Amino acid sequence: QVQLVESGGGLVQAGGSLRLSCAASGSIFRINVMGWYRQAPGKQRELVAVITSGGVTNYADSVKGRFAISRDNAKNTVYLQMNSLKVEDTAVYYCNLDARGYRYWGQGTQVTVSS
């Protein structure tokens, strides 16, 4: 079993920055993909950014150039640095880990960007 615990959400003004963290624990296969998804009210959950255990990244077009995903494999932790935040970035952000055909989710952390 794998547990994911997110931290770092909150309220920020447009143009500001936040950094999300997600620590994984449990039986973690070393080859995996970790990432962040988000869900705004009334909308479907969408990919924000993912990173493989080898460091390959993929971003949603809406966050390219503003967000940066990174990970520390020794700590089984993934980070999301969010800069130049926009009101439309407001959502619950969920940490995700995919490994060996299994998908795990964190409980979510709220990010609210005010105008």
Side-chain angles (χ1 to χ4, degrees):
Q1 190 66 292
V2 174
Q3 296 79 41
L4 302 174
V5 178
E6 301 117 331
S7 61
L11 174 65
V12 65
Q13 286 191 327
S17 299
L18 281 175
R19 189 191 194 211
L20 304 183
S21 300
C22 172
S25 61
S27 301
I28 302 166
F29 188 62
R30 64 181 181 84
I31 300 174
N32 58 64
V33 179
M34 294 187 75
W36 295 92
Y37 289 70
R38 67 187 180 188
Q39 189 167 18
K43 295 187 177 181
Q44 289 189 333
R45 191 173 297 190
E46 62 177 5
L47 179 146
V48 176
V50 293
I51 183 168
T52 70
S53 47
V56 178
T57 60
N58 186 39
Y59 294 91
D61 288 343
S62 59
V63 306
K64 284 181 180 176
R66 300 189 297 122
F67 291 10
I69 190 170
S70 60
R71 63 187 290 167
D72 184 333
N73 288 334
K75 297 181 179 179
N76 290 318
T77 299
V78 64
Y79 307 96
L80 185 68
Q81 178 66 44
M82 304 185 292
N83 299 324
S84 301
L85 281 160
K86 303 176 181 180
V87 172
E88 50 264 43
D89 293 318
T90 295
V92 177
Y93 283 69
Y94 294 91
C95 179
N96 166 266
L97 186 150
D98 286 343
R100 304 187 77 176
Y102 292 92
R103 169 162 281 194
Y104 304 93
W105 294 97
Q107 79 284 359
T109 185
Q110 177 70 45
V111 171
T112 302
V113 184
S114 63
S115 58

